[in-house]
Amino acid sequence: MADPSETPKDKPGDRSPGVKRQGPGRPAGSTSATTRQRILEVAHRKFSALGYAAATTPEIVAEAGVSQSVLYHHFGSKAALYTAVLVRQMDITIDAFETAVTGRTRLLDRIDGMLEALTIIGPLYGPANEIMATAPFEVRRNPELRAGREQLKRNEEFFTRLVADAEDVNELDDGVVQMCLALLWCLTGVGAIRSDPARYLDAVAAVRRLVAG
């Protein structure tokens, strides 16, 4: 009878010489940073497409090729993972907006710069951007996502600066700030509803024409 403490020998073809057998954790060749990034990218797609409740951690880890324990090692909980996805999306969006308005001093030019940035973000990140349309509802209906509210505030903070710093604005108008937020939310919603990127770009172009008068 075989000693149960012995490790079974590999069968021919099980592995290449010199390659260690990989357990159910991280895929071979991965570092902690790349593993975390892969989980984050998969979760971003799943949460965007399915929503917070319907996107399950077993589905996420299966697509990412890691174990549940690896996911929880990096993020601690499903709610924390969702918040990390929002941080990622906000970084992408705000960085693009900041770059787009650089050198633009008048309010309408700055709004047009923000809209121009959407023509880059939309096609580049595709369905992952849909989380921008659903996140305000998710963080309101799921108390465990309250940390995500701070991330959503980053959009309002950006638009407040966009309006306040315009050279042709004498007094901050919160209505204009909220209008900018509405433009972002509505256009992101169009991208989520329409699977054809060209139709999304047409919608953004139409709003830019309106802004240009």
Side-chain angles (χ1 to χ4, degrees):
M1 184 172 178
D3 184 347
S5 66
E6 288 183 352
T7 301
K9 290 184 169 55
D10 295 331
K11 295 178 182 179
D14 273 2
R15 60 179 178 175
S16 301
V19 177
K20 294 182 178 180
R21 183 181 298 278
Q22 197 72 20
R26 229 169 45 210
S30 294
T31 65
S32 180
T34 58
T35 298
R36 186 183 191 280
Q37 183 65 20
R38 183 167 58 256
I39 296 170
L40 201 54
E41 289 172 355
V42 172
H44 201 153
R45 292 194 300 271
K46 292 292 186 182
F47 287 137
S48 296
L50 303 175
Y52 175 71
T56 66
T57 54
E59 290 176 327
I60 292 169
V61 298
E63 186 170 326
V66 300
S67 65
Q68 288 265 31
S69 62
V70 170
L71 183 150
Y72 288 114
H73 166 74
H74 284 285
F75 298 99
S77 67
K78 181 182 176 182
L81 175 60
Y82 186 88
T83 300
V85 166
L86 282 186
V87 171
R88 181 175 189 258
Q89 179 68 60
M90 288 299 107
D91 287 346
I92 290 169
T93 303
I94 300 300
D95 286 351
F97 286 171
E98 294 283 9
T99 300
V101 302
T102 299
R104 299 176 186 247
T105 58
R106 297 178 63 82
L107 178 59
L108 289 181
D109 289 340
R110 304 190 103 206
I111 293 174
D112 182 67
M114 179 268 291
L115 294 169
E116 184 179 24
L118 290 179
T119 67
I120 299 170
I121 299 171
L124 187 59
Y125 295 98
N129 293 299
E130 294 176 13
I131 199 168
M132 293 291 289
T134 59
F137 302 104
E138 298 284 19
V139 300
R140 179 172 293 184
R141 69 167 65 102
N142 296 286
E144 68 270 28
L145 298 180
R146 57 186 176 275
R149 296 174 188 173
E150 296 303 314
Q151 293 304 313
L152 294 178
K153 285 180 182 178
R154 292 171 62 187
N155 277 327
E156 185 164 6
E157 290 168 355
F158 168 79
F159 289 126
T160 298
R161 295 196 309 274
L162 179 140
V163 175
D165 295 345
E167 67 176 14
D168 54 342
V169 172
N170 296 322
E171 185 176 349
L172 177 63
D173 187 337
D174 184 64
V176 177
V177 174
Q178 300 307 314
M179 179 204 69
C180 291
L181 280 167
L183 284 176
L184 172 61
W185 186 77
C186 290
L187 288 171
T188 304
V190 169
I193 295 169
R194 304 297 184 191
S195 57
D196 182 3
R199 299 190 71 181
Y200 166 77
L201 292 176
D202 285 345
V204 178
V207 177
R208 292 184 73 184
R209 290 195 297 271
L210 285 174
V211 170

